[in-house]
Amino acid sequence: MDRSGSPPKALSHPLPAGMRDLLPEETRRRRALARAILDHFALHGYDPVTPPAFELAEVLEKGLGALDPGDVLRFVEPESGEVCALRPDMTPQIARMVATRLAAEPVPIRLCYEGTIVRRRQGRAKKHRQIPQAGVELYGAPSPEGDLEALRLLASVTRAVGLESFVIDLGHALIARALVDVVPSPLDVEVTDALAQKDATRLRALLAGREASGVPARVADALVALPELAGGAEDRPGEEILARAEKLFAGTRAEGPLGELRALWETARGTGESGLGDVLRLDLGEVRGFAYYTGPIFHVLAPGPGEPVGAGGRYDDLLGRFGLPLQAVGFGLHLDAIARAREAAGVREERPLRVLVSADPPGEALAASLRARGIATAFHASGADALRYAAAHRFSHVVTEGNDGAVQIIRTDKPEAAVEIAAGAGGVDAIVRALGEEAPLVDEQP
């Protein structure tokens, strides 16, 4: 309750569960992060596309793959009566776009995107329905060349947003799938869940039960060992993990995918300019989306968020669902998770100049001149509250009246270090120089 006895306005006008507002400073940071990521994708030759916010459910759901249908928010479109769905994932939308609008383009086709997906909330209340993402899709690039391009780009864009301490876990979707396919239903669901939890003890108990009596011993042993087949740093070299896996998988359908994974691992680690040698790790027991992906899968982990900041893989079957069989690989970055990782890493960004002109004269004439030079500027009538107003609205500087016709330039985070420019001492150019000569403003994380 406030002093009047009324409930807070946020409670009087609530948002739907799982939705949220972004206020000015968070919006600025979000847009700056998204812009930096998209600019980096553009440097690598990826063209941006923008899919619609919702589509016909029957079309969109063709490409959802492993996503739980219960995650999709559906509604009836009033004009047509068709069932539509808010996009829970952009990859199926872009696959539809390529299959229907870009099918005649020469391959490979490189596309990137940024936007918000919406999913039905699952689990605890802190989960958001609206999830900001940015990512790339590479169509018509075979394995392993396309996989290597995606991995290199994932590593470079992670560094470009200021994260230096991270690892990329690499696996292959068909390894776990080949082994789980031998397990009878419904035991296969429990085995998959135990693999997702990396629970070797539970796996051993499940595969020792009566329901698993028909599972070959070699397959059972391989499944129980999967959670331990991870690593790749100096303390547990990747070659050691791969050699053990080759013995475990011998005579099973996991042999082929393991060979593909080894080839990609050796190529990625052996190429010095790839930027992958010190960050790439192995995780042969990864089952995330293994019913959706058809080849290598990977996710990038960094301290702070407690979840991957990005994930992707190869999904060669996806475009075929829209009538255009075409190889595909890509990844998505989770912008909220990246923001938390940047905060944990102490990443600070320089804030752009935002000037509040309080001196009048020069007033609006000065504001217009600064805007013409690309400096964000607003005019605020003179008053004692100019500095407080500027700080509250995140202006970096105030230009106010000084003595004897001079103007003062005050930095809102260091008001004691004002700079005064005498009347007639260079005009707008002198003010621009003074603004540019100051030390950069560092963004303070909340």
Side-chain angles (χ1 to χ4, degrees):
M1 295 287 180
D2 62 19
R3 292 179 181 177
S4 67
S6 300
K9 290 184 177 180
L11 297 180
S12 301
H13 308 286
L15 292 170
M19 306 302 284
R20 57 178 171 158
D21 296 316
L22 295 185
L23 297 180
E25 189 62 16
E26 189 175 4
T27 297
R28 183 190 67 78
R29 289 176 177 151
R30 166 75 57 74
R31 288 186 175 178
L33 177 59
R35 186 163 51 247
I37 290 171
L38 289 178
D39 286 348
H40 192 82
F41 292 159
L43 284 176
H44 289 255
Y46 285 76
D47 290 322
V49 292
T50 303
F54 64 89
E55 299 201 24
L56 294 176
E58 63 177 351
V59 175
L60 187 61
E61 290 170 6
K62 286 183 179 180
L64 290 184
L67 187 66
D68 185 346
D71 287 344
V72 181
L73 288 167
R74 300 173 181 83
F75 64 95
V76 176
E77 203 279 318
E79 294 184 5
S80 66
E82 297 277 4
V83 178
C84 294
L86 298 176
R87 62 186 183 201
D89 186 4
M90 289 198 211
T91 294
Q93 291 186 290
I94 299 174
R96 173 198 52 75
M97 193 184 302
V98 170
T100 59
R101 306 288 297 278
L102 301 174
E105 297 291 323
V107 297
I109 300 171
R110 294 179 172 88
L111 302 176
C112 63
Y113 62 88
E114 180 271 327
T116 298
I117 63 173
V118 182
R119 293 179 182 172
R120 180 172 173 268
R121 281 196 317 158
Q122 302 285 351
R124 297 186 180 275
K126 68 179 182 179
K127 294 289 186 181
H128 292 295
R129 278 179 170 177
Q130 55 188 82
I131 305 168
Q133 291 186 337
V136 299
E137 312 290 350
L138 176 59
Y139 300 104
S143 185
E145 294 84 2
D147 308 322
L148 187 58
E149 177 174 332
L151 286 167
R152 286 171 171 166
L153 180 54
L154 179 58
S156 66
V157 74
T158 303
R159 293 188 176 98
V161 298
L163 301 180
E164 292 296 334
S165 178
F166 67 93
V167 296
I168 299 175
D169 280 352
L170 175 65
H172 197 297
L174 298 188
I175 289 177
R177 188 192 304 177
L179 298 172
V180 172
D181 280 351
V182 181
V183 180
S185 180
L187 181 62
D188 58 340
V189 176
E190 293 189 68
V191 168
T192 301
D193 182 66
L195 284 171
Q197 301 299 322
K198 307 290 187 187
D199 191 341
T201 301
R202 183 181 171 203
L203 281 168
R204 187 174 293 105
L206 289 170
L207 293 167
R210 180 181 302 175
E211 293 182 3
S213 60
V215 178
R218 182 170 291 278
V219 171
D221 290 343
L223 283 167
V224 171
L226 274 182
E228 301 174 359
L229 297 178
E234 291 183 1
D235 59 335
R236 195 176 186 200
E239 177 57 39
E240 175 185 315
I241 295 168
L242 292 168
R244 185 183 176 203
E246 285 171 345
K247 294 179 180 178
L248 285 165
F249 299 166
T252 75
R253 287 186 293 168
E255 276 188 298
L258 178 63
E260 295 175 6
L261 181 61
R262 172 184 276 280
L264 178 58
W265 167 266
E266 292 177 347
T267 302
R269 298 274 294 195
T271 306
E273 66 273 15
S274 70
L276 294 168
D278 59 340
V279 298
L280 203 60
R281 303 290 185 268
L282 287 169
D283 186 354
L284 276 61
E286 178 60 63
V287 295
R288 173 191 51 83
F290 81 144
Y292 173 71
Y293 291 103
T294 61
I297 51 177
F298 40 84
H299 57 266
V300 58
L301 300 164
E307 62 179 322
V309 301
R314 176 162 289 276
Y315 36 89
D316 288 344
D317 293 344
L318 178 59
L319 270 80
R321 300 175 191 176
F322 296 98
L324 182 69
L326 192 65
Q327 296 164 311
V329 62
F331 63 81
L333 299 174
H334 307 297
L335 301 188
D336 283 342
I338 289 178
R340 292 196 295 273
R342 283 164 52 91
E343 183 177 355
V347 176
R348 298 290 184 265
E349 62 185 60
E350 291 186 12
R351 292 168 54 194
L353 289 175
R354 296 185 73 239
V355 178
L356 183 73
V357 175
S358 176
D360 189 18
E364 186 60 54
L366 173 59
S369 296
L370 292 175
R371 293 185 200 116
R373 287 163 170 77
I375 299 174
T377 309
F379 174 64
H380 181 75
S382 299
D385 66 339
L387 184 59
R388 183 175 65 84
Y389 177 89
H393 290 280
R394 294 159 296 279
F395 286 93
S396 59
H397 297 78
V398 178
V399 178
T400 188
E401 297 172 357
N403 299 316
D404 300 323
V407 296
Q408 276 193 331
I409 300 175
I410 304 174
R411 184 165 155 169
T412 54
D413 64 339
K414 294 182 179 179
E416 71 280 359
V419 175
E420 188 161 290
I421 299 176
V428 176
D429 290 336
I431 293 174
V432 172
R433 284 196 298 272
L435 291 169
E437 287 171 358
E438 291 210 48
L441 285 90
V442 177
D443 192 10
E444 294 295 332
Q445 298 287 347

